[in-house]
Amino acid sequence: MQTEATLCNWIDDLVEYAIENELAEECDRVFLCNRISRELGILTFAPDRDREVCHDLETILAALCDFAQTMGIIPDDSITERDLFDTHLMGILTPRPGEVQSKFRSLYEESPQKATDYYYHISRASDYIRTYRVKKDVKWIYSGKYGDLDITINLSKPEKDPRAIAAAKMTVASGYPKCALCRENEGFAGSLTQAARENLRLIPMTLAEEQWFLQYSPYVYYNEHCIALSAKHTPMCINRSTFVKQLDFVEQFPHYMLGANADLPIVGGSILSHDHMQGGRYTFAMERAPIEKELHFDGFEDVSAGIVRWPMSVIRLRSQKRESLIELSDRILRAWRAYSDPEACIFAATKGEPHNTITPISRRRGEEFEIDLVLRNNLTTDEHPLGVFHPHADKHNIKKENIGLIEVMGLAVLPARLCEEMDVLADYLAQGKDITLDERTAKHAAWVSAFASNYQFSYDNAGEILQKEIGRTFEAVLEDAGVYKCTKEGREAFLRFAKTVK
């Protein structure tokens, strides 16, 4: 058990970290040390000033959580309880919303990039983005038919502890905040069923004359992965206003892109109940993809348009004229919502249920604005009960979840289970073992049989081979999700739709 003197040292290290990382100033030291001490039941603060200071936040917070657990401040040693407590401590250290917003506005006057650089730093330094978890994500590049795809196995989200799950069943849902994207999460203490957000700070902004907020994703799947969220808890809806909001955003932050998940189940994101979009400073493979077929729309001579060489079905529009882009994007959206082509298995609706929608992504190209419109359809059939344009069953061992905005652009977010499964699978293949005898690898047997004869597996190459085949599978997943395939027949069907846009 830690002594009180040792605990004072850890508290002092935490406050030193806050000062070093511009969360606080030197004049705040005594105040913050007293605040943190109070949370840990320490009434006399007396650190050893001659000790070696620890600068690693993960180590400092772990030590403080260990003490809190032994003292009964944390009810049990679950990840959920520890996250609630250390977020509470970091919330004390994080500047108040007004301070962050004032500094952001001041830096924005110098340049939008300086403002977001500051805000991103605060989001990381405050531990809202737990960088020590994010760096555990497994990442590699797959070079395939459509360029370099980003493959990631997400390890940032901690697995729910069974004790926390059991305790959560006994917790009465408060309904506040209504969802994880509501602005009421700013400063929220959290619970066993809701993430703590005491260290979250939002930046207000106006999009299409509406109140929205900017924040960063705590899981940062790519560089400066941000979220734009509506001040109102209203459902996702892709319409003309979406294009206005996106162009407003990239005009305010020209170094960022912004996209929106589709607004229908299966082809949409994980949260459809709250209108939001995702952006950041990253160049995705889809953005790098070239135009393979130019399109021309009457009355829009000031807009360059074309079909993108990409496994999903993308119309790219570019122009200096915002209003022309908005108008043409809206016409394409409305045409697609109503469009059916049974020959291509495209149905606007069945049994009164709409199927067609769009995943839009906007960015700046110098002085021009650019919008990618990804055509989506969530039709299900007996053969494909999870979706015709969804990862097919032969790929569910790798990717079964929805293909949302991030995957659409060429970045695979794969489940954490694959990390262990691929390690075991690589070992078995190198040894020539029967992979059907282990439940962790049996699910991959049919997948492996499709490519095993192409390789001689060894301890040196098995892992690399599996990464390559995972990349190839994700490429095929994107092809499954494309409503028009990259074939002669598929492109002819794509052009049939494009001609209906008036």
Side-chain angles (χ1 to χ4, degrees), residues 405-473:
L405 169 68
I406 296 172
E407 286 93 354
V408 163
M409 296 186 291
L411 191 156
V413 181
L414 303 178
R417 63 174 174 80
L418 283 178
C419 219
E420 179 186 7
E421 291 172 5
M422 290 302 126
D423 283 346
V424 176
L425 185 57
D427 187 54
Y428 285 5
L429 290 172
Q431 296 181 61
K433 283 188 175 181
D434 184 351
I435 65 175
T436 64
L437 300 181
D438 188 321
E439 65 177 12
R440 293 170 297 177
T441 56
K443 71 185 73 170
H444 301 295
W447 176 69
V448 169
S449 69
F451 60 77
S453 61
N454 298 328
Y455 303 102
Q456 290 291 326
F457 292 98
S458 69
Y459 286 109
D460 292 332
N461 69 11
E464 184 178 340
I465 290 170
L466 291 178
Q467 284 194 347
K468 179 180 178 181
E469 292 301 330
I470 288 173
R472 195 192 310 276
T473 300

Side-chain angles (χ1 to χ4, degrees), residues 5 18 34 61 84 105 121 174 193 198 238 298 328 417 441 457 461 488:
N34 284 330
L61 291 176
L84 289 170
R105 287 193 298 268
H121 167 74
S174 68
T193 58
E198 291 190 61
I238 304 299
D298 291 344
L328 181 52
R417 63 174 174 80
T441 56
F457 292 98
N461 69 11
K488 179 176 180 293

